[in-house]
Amino acid sequence: MSDTVVVGLDVGGTSTRAVALSLAGERLGTGRGGGGNPTSHGAERAAAELLTALRGALAGVDPARVRAGVIGLAGAGRLLADPAGRAAFDQAWAQAGLRCAYAVHGDALVAYASGTAAPDGTVLIAGTGAIAAQVRDLRLDRVADGHGWLLGDAGSGFWLGREAVRRLLADLDRGTSPGPLGARVLTELLGSVEVADRPRGTVDALVQAVTRRPPVELARLAPLVVTAAVEGEPVATGLIDEAAAHLVESVSRIRPADAVEPIVLGGGLLTGDTPLAAAVRAEAERRWPDAPVRTAGDGAAAAAWLAALDLPGVTDPVALHALLVPPTA
Amino acid sequence: MSDTVVVGLDVGGTSTRAVALSLAGERLGTGRGGGGNPTSHGAERAAAELLTALRGALAGVDPARVRAGVIGLAGAGRLLADPAGRAAFDQAWAQAGLRCAYAVHGDALVAYASGTAAPDGTVLIAGTGAIAAQVRDLRLDRVADGHGWLLGDAGSGFWLGREAVRRLLADLDRGTSPGPLGARVLTELLGSVEVADRPRGTVDALVQAVTRRPPVELARLAPLVVTAAVEGEPVATGLIDEAAAHLVESVSRIRPADAVEPIVLGGGLLTGDTPLAAAVRAEAERRWPDAPVRTAGDGAAAAAWLAALDLPGVTDPVALHALLVPPTA
């Protein structure tokens, strides 16, 4: 056992992270690759980034010591259903010198496991999109939202960006001056806070500026809302509260009202000390007062922990989690 | 004067309608063409439909008697700014044998004038999209919404269709059986009311069915909401009430709280005896109790009336409206 190494990978849209850990919790190596989501980048490209990250993590490790691995990624189900994609991942795994099997899990499960060792609970992720899932026996169970920007993703980065533009357009319709958040949005989209003498000209310019890009790019306005909310801007704080209510409503679709299992918050908008994370935490603690609310942390380490659980001789998953996965709030 | 004829055209996305009227209100001819919106169909095609409709209206009329004309169409401003489009319309006008000048107005102004002769008031239009406008001296003044499906059109046919799908997805997330409206949406989008054993499979199929078409086609689900609301289905009636609140909120952005001028309701969702029209009317009468609420009617006749107003000797616009434009509710 003391010689055993596990490998975990967290494959995201902008980076791929890998870690090699001993079962005593020694961090034997880490590696990093570019964005590797097979849905958005293609399985070949994703597998290449996976290999880069794996080679980094295994630089000082005898690959024969690695007994198990887990790859966490968005769209895991689609990868597993695609023989060519699966073959590309198999090949990268072998090229890294690994002979053990590996499992593929959804990024939501890995985010969950990065925040808790509890086998049952809830994970809520808000980044560009938004999705909530119940976890049962460390497997994803029921899911809420994740319906994409056109039909869902309520409370996501896309939602925040779109609502910020909508509030600005409503102000222009009314003929009132944009507030601080509206001014930030004007500057970002039109390069100036100036409103035309005929505000409808500015309205038309804003609509055109948004509609000539892919809709999902509205999510790049979300940081403006977050920054304005940190400064106490009332429109922004109102949007943050609305977004938090949407996100918790999604959770309540799948989580019983009397549940006490942990809730893990993940995704760019809910990790770190953001006003949306604080608002969601407050609302979740109000609805489920007996449940711990945790923040997602090191996904690669959580993936390595999930890999270790299947090894013979691993009898105390909670103790192993404490050794392998860095603690979070 | 008794010999004078005026021509009006109402150019819509699905049909172009023309009428030739004497100033005594005699209906001398009507004509119809296909969809003629120059923005969506191109100015050449729009002008061809215009000519078809004009020739129908003038079949029994000496074109030398026509002294004025108005063309009402969506995107009037864009047409006037486009020399080639304007030339195509000029040519169609001349090919119909007309020697008088004509004016081009927005479809919102023509809809307004089809419901009232008052020079000042408000028009609210809800079809695939939604827009409200103030009218001053029979010219469009301030505008609210009309921001398109991505950023606005709150309470429109697109909005109703999208919300109907969102309610269904939320039911599926919760694991509850779709209600009558949800069943209609399932049948329309997936061809069956069956929900998969794993409801997420049905969720994914619905999202794919919607996202493989242009988003604006969600508006084709709006009639399902209207029909279900007529039957008293609670989700549908709730959506109709929400849509009415959005539409009236758009009006309130530009219309003073103490205004007494008429409000005209237009567009496919607000003309006719629909639950949305009734809900908007009730809400508008609550907010502006001293203002008459009217329904848009014969746009071509209203365009002809607008044309007549510029003729010498026309001294009583209200009396002329009563002669030329068929009354509506």
Side-chain angles (χ1 to χ4, degrees), chain B residues 24-74:
Chain B
E26 286 171 282
R27 219 168 173 80
L28 303 174
T30 61
R32 203 179 180 97
N37 185 318
T39 307
S40 48
H41 297 95
E44 290 286 334
R45 159 98 182 277
E49 301 297 349
L50 187 88
L51 180 57
T52 301
L54 265 179
R55 282 183 166 148
L58 296 173
V61 181
D62 174 5
R65 287 176 63 196
V66 179
R67 301 288 157 76
V70 157
I71 302 171
L73 81 171

Side-chain angles (χ1 to χ4, degrees), chain A residues 152-311:
Chain A
D153 289 354
S156 68
F158 169 81
W159 186 95
L160 282 172
R162 186 189 61 192
E163 292 305 306
V165 178
R166 293 188 59 212
R167 303 303 160 108
L168 171 58
L169 292 174
D171 280 343
L172 294 169
D173 282 353
R174 283 188 204 99
T176 58
S177 290
L181 175 61
R184 285 172 194 267
V185 172
L186 271 173
T187 304
E188 176 70 22
L189 291 176
L190 301 183
S192 157
V193 297
E194 295 298 311
V195 173
D197 289 340
R198 213 172 59 65
R200 194 68 186 178
T202 303
V203 166
D204 292 343
L206 283 167
V207 171
Q208 284 163 26
V210 169
T211 52
R212 81 175 149 240
R213 290 160 169 267
V216 75
E217 288 198 21
L218 279 165
R220 78 196 159 85
L221 301 175
L224 305 186
V225 183
V226 171
T227 305
V230 168
E231 293 167 2
E233 208 265 359
V235 174
T237 53
L239 289 179
I240 293 291
D241 288 345
E242 267 192 67
H246 279 299
L247 292 167
V248 174
E249 194 278 324
S250 292
V251 170
S252 72
R253 292 181 189 170
I254 51 173
R255 181 178 168 92
D258 58 355
V260 297
E261 294 84 5
I263 300 168
V264 178
L265 309 183
L269 283 170
L270 297 182
T271 49
D273 181 22
T274 72
L276 185 58
V280 166
R281 181 179 286 266
E283 180 64 13
E285 287 172 346
R286 195 182 67 74
R287 293 234 204 164
W288 295 281
D290 297 322
V293 179
R294 307 269 181 234
T295 301
D298 185 337
W305 173 69
L306 288 168
L309 295 182
D310 291 332
L311 292 176

Side-chain angles (χ1 to χ4, degrees), chain B:
Chain B
M1 283 289 288
S2 66
D3 202 43
T4 298
V5 173
V6 286
V7 162
L9 286 116
D10 188 15
V11 181
T14 54
S15 74
T16 297
R17 295 177 59 253
V19 68
L21 296 170
S22 78
L23 292 193
E26 286 171 282
R27 219 168 173 80
L28 303 174
T30 61
R32 203 179 180 97
N37 185 318
T39 307
S40 48
H41 297 95
E44 290 286 334
R45 159 98 182 277
E49 301 297 349
L50 187 88
L51 180 57
T52 301
L54 265 179
R55 282 183 166 148
L58 296 173
V61 181
D62 174 5
R65 287 176 63 196
V66 179
R67 301 288 157 76
V70 157
I71 302 171
L73 81 171
R78 276 188 295 271
L79 176 73
L80 295 175
D82 168 25
R86 185 69 196 236
F89 272 55
D90 283 348
Q91 191 182 8
W93 198 256
Q95 284 178 318
L98 296 170
R99 295 288 167 265
C100 64
Y102 68 95
V104 177
H105 289 302
D107 56 342
L109 180 69
V110 168
Y112 173 81
S114 73
T116 181
D120 300 337
T122 306
V123 60
L124 170 63
I125 298 180
T128 300
I131 193 167
Q134 287 291 88
V135 174
R136 289 278 165 259
D137 290 327
L138 291 175
R139 288 288 181 274
L140 292 179
D141 188 28
R142 296 175 54 202
V143 174
D145 205 347
H147 300 147
W149 60 265
L150 180 58
L151 294 168
D153 289 353
S156 68
F158 168 83
W159 186 94
L160 282 172
R162 186 189 62 192
E163 293 304 305
V165 178
R166 293 187 60 212
R167 303 303 161 107
L168 171 59
L169 292 173
D171 280 343
L172 294 169
D173 282 353
R174 284 187 204 100
T176 57
S177 291
L181 176 60
R184 285 172 194 267
V185 173
L186 271 172
T187 304
E188 175 71 23
L189 291 176
L190 300 183
S192 158
V193 297
E194 294 299 311
V195 173
D197 289 341
R198 213 172 60 63
R200 193 70 186 176
T202 302
V203 166
D204 292 342
L206 283 168
V207 171
Q208 283 163 27
V210 169
T211 52
R212 82 176 149 242
R213 290 160 169 267
V216 75
E217 288 197 22
L218 279 165
R220 79 199 159 85
L221 300 174
L224 304 185
V225 183
V226 171
T227 305
V230 168
E231 293 167 3
E233 209 264 359
V235 174
T237 52
L239 289 179
I240 293 291
D241 288 346
E242 267 191 67
H246 278 300
L247 292 169
V248 174
E249 194 278 324
S250 291
V251 170
S252 72
R253 291 181 190 170
I254 51 173
R255 181 179 167 91
D258 57 355
V260 297
E261 293 84 6
I263 300 169
V264 178
L265 309 182
L269 284 169
L270 297 182
T271 48
D273 183 22
T274 72
L276 185 58
V280 166
R281 180 178 286 267
E283 179 65 12
E285 286 172 346
R286 195 182 65 73
R287 292 235 205 164
W288 295 280
D290 297 321
V293 179
R294 306 269 181 233
T295 301
D298 185 336
W305 174 69
L306 288 168
L309 295 182
D310 291 333
L311 292 175
V314 170
T315 53
D316 189 343
V318 175
L320 188 64
H321 193 276
L323 285 173
L324 264 54
V325 184
T328 61

